[in-house]
Amino acid sequence: MNPVEKRMRELYLQIEHHNQKYYVDANPEISDRDFDRLLDELKTLEEQHPQFATPDSPTQRVGGKPIEGFATVRHREPMLSIDNSYSSDDLREFDQRVCKLLSGLTPTYVVELKIDGVAMSLIYENGVFTTGATRGDGEQGDDVTHNLKTIPDVPLKLPKSPAHFEARGEVYMTRADFAANNRRRVEAGDEPAANPRNFTAGSLKLLDPKESRKRRLHFFAYALGSCDGIEVATHLDGLALLKRFGFSVNPHIVSFDSIEGVIDYCNSWATKRNDLPYETDGMVIKVNDFAQRKKLGTTSKSPRWVIAYKFAAEQGLTKLTSIDLQVGKLGTLTPVANLEPVKLAGTTVSRASLHNADFIESKDIRVGDTVVVEKAGEIIPYVVRSEPEARTGTEKVFHFPKSCPSCGSPVERDKNGTFYRCTGGRKCTAQIKEVLRAYARRSAMDIEGLGEKIIEQLVDAGLVNTIADLYRLTLDQLVALERMGKKSAQNLLDGIAASKERGLARVLAGLAIPHVGDSVADLLASEFGDIDALMHAGADRLSQVMGIGPIMAEAIHEFFHDSHNHKLIEELKALGLKLSQDRRPTPAQLGGADLAGKTFVVTGTLAKYSREEIESLIRQLGGKASGSVSKNTHFLVAGEKAGSKLDKARQLGVTVLSEEEFEKLIGR
Ligand code: IVH
């Protein structure tokens, strides 16, 4: 071999080796400068001896000079967009449409990850990469060939030479490179990019390929475009061909003969996708057979043989338009943000609690701000942060009012400065309503018919100011209320009367004693047996009870030594409420199975129970209700929209029960 040619081969190999180190291993062995030296030497030799140069030479990757501007490329076949779907039912509808149009033929579906990058068309003439273009408006895009040549996943030359060959796919940036690139950007004093997709798009718009190479872009091919002299009958064959031609094809591609298989596979990626080194924003489902695709055709916008399944976004930007204040049963003012509606994790979010003054101040959240809102699975919406850069100057710092928005009593900031409270106490109708709501709820006194609306009416009409007043209501009083028939009035009275028998634990759960929730109420009732023993217990005695700490003990003691509360208890006694506790009722008495020794976790939304109701029921039947799934969990009760807990339970082999199966288990 000619010594010049030999040196050129040597340089090829060295440069390819350093490309591999740089791109794939992200662990360069030589400086950029030394790399450029090797490249320059090769470039000079190629200029002097063009007969030895090849189209896939590494000089072709970064050999070009910066371009002046972007040329426009017209796509031989338009780059269509695809329809989106968001739920299993959407996918079933897609399948029904496909099957109907195929009249009798059954499709095989190929399911792929939807790579969150920038769509690209790569053109090869006689086996040599000539043009790479963005999607643009679908008809024509920007020529970004100079930058694409720097991407090692883009072959410069194909092993075969069809006259015209087009690969379509996605240019993307890995999460690790995104972070590293952003760090460099910030160090250089530039604004960081918002996400890898934007960074990728920006990198493709660079004029100088040397700069673009530094961003370490990647490419996955996912389809054949317009090709001459290539015969393939299915998408899977097309992908295999792309692989043989040297393209990177994503490894997570699976085919299914039924839509249910497709759905399960899609859902299996909902959380697993976070472990991938690059970002995906969903899945793409494609009919495999090209003859079937032809039969299905396209609408004006998108092919009928393909659909994207989008994972629900868990974070979004929206505007905080105003802040309401809710008065709690103990007078605490809770600020609640009103948001411009934003779709997150499959639901529309328009309100989110801002918790307290500390929360608002530490996050510097202002009325009119753009905020990042998060909703992961079953978790309630949460304001992650405000975006001060998006401010226009019209945003307003929020101040808590000096007086209660409900009763006008003075508002005080507590010792720690975290909470503001209305000092109106029993005079504040908002507080009274909340107290009654807490009292009537299912896991407390479970008063049938005493819902939010009725409570509102009863308090506003001045009929009820305390819990005891409920038991003094008469039929005549109720019937006089708006939209209250005789029958529902009687039902409500019956419901209230029935609650007299609930026993001490439920009364305690309903009394709005600070720090006392359902399980502490259970503890107190079984420890003390009746209300007098409990009322006379000092804080020391209370804190001897397992599970009750000194702060809780102090709060309970204080509650019962307040003269109003004392009076209320005496009234309830006189009205005939049962204020003692039998020994823990046996499961048989509750009409259910014995769940002793069994740990349950509840997840998702249930049809018949709130979270606290079902957990209270589990406890009453002797079981334990826990918040997280572990190998010690016996059962997971999964409702609608169950998320990561369900995945975890499946992984650990925990028995998963639907709501109906749970009811069967407990014999209801
Ligand atoms: S197929 C006509 N497959 O998602 C069908 N698209 O609107 C062509 N995308 O920007 C698209 N991963 O670039 C297909 N595995 C994949 C994909 C994928 C990402 C992008 C595509 C386009 C968007 C769909």
Side-chain angles (χ1 to χ4, degrees), residues 633-644:
T633 309
H634 294 94
F635 298 101
L636 178 84
V637 183
E640 285 279 302
K641 299 224 173 79
S644 58

Side-chain angles (χ1 to χ4, degrees), residues 3 15 70 85 87 92 112 197 254 276 280 325 329 332 351 390 466 475 494 526 532 575-576 597 619 660:
I15 293 169
F70 295 98
S85 67
S87 68
R92 289 188 188 104
E112 303 173 5
R197 178 170 28 83
V254 186
L276 288 166
T280 59
L325 288 171
K329 56 186 192 274
T332 310
R351 274 164 83 78
T466 71
L475 193 65
D494 292 347
S526 48
D532 290 322
L575 287 161
R619 279 195 297 273
E660 292 73 38

Side-chain angles (χ1 to χ4, degrees), residues 79-84 112-120 135 168-170 222-223 281 284 286 303 305-306 308:
M79 290 179 82
L80 297 174
S81 65
I82 50 188
D83 272 348
N84 288 325
E112 303 173 5
L113 297 179
K114 188 168 185 305
I115 312 297
D116 199 7
V118 176
M120 201 60 59
R135 177 171 177 272
R168 289 189 177 176
E170 201 84 356
Y222 56 61
D281 58 340
V284 183
K286 306 172 179 177
W305 46 262
V306 60

Side-chain angles (χ1 to χ4, degrees), residues 593-612:
D594 189 351
L595 303 184
K598 298 281 183 264
T599 301
F600 288 74
V601 175
V602 184
T603 188
T605 315
L606 302 174
K608 294 196 201 150
Y609 307 88
S610 72
R611 183 63 46 84
E612 45 183 22

Side-chain angles (χ1 to χ4, degrees), residues 399-417:
H399 296 288
F400 277 76
K402 300 242 174 325
S403 51
C404 171
S406 170
C407 70
S409 304
V411 163
E412 276 176 2
R413 195 164 188 171
D414 71 4
K415 285 179 240 113
N416 308 330

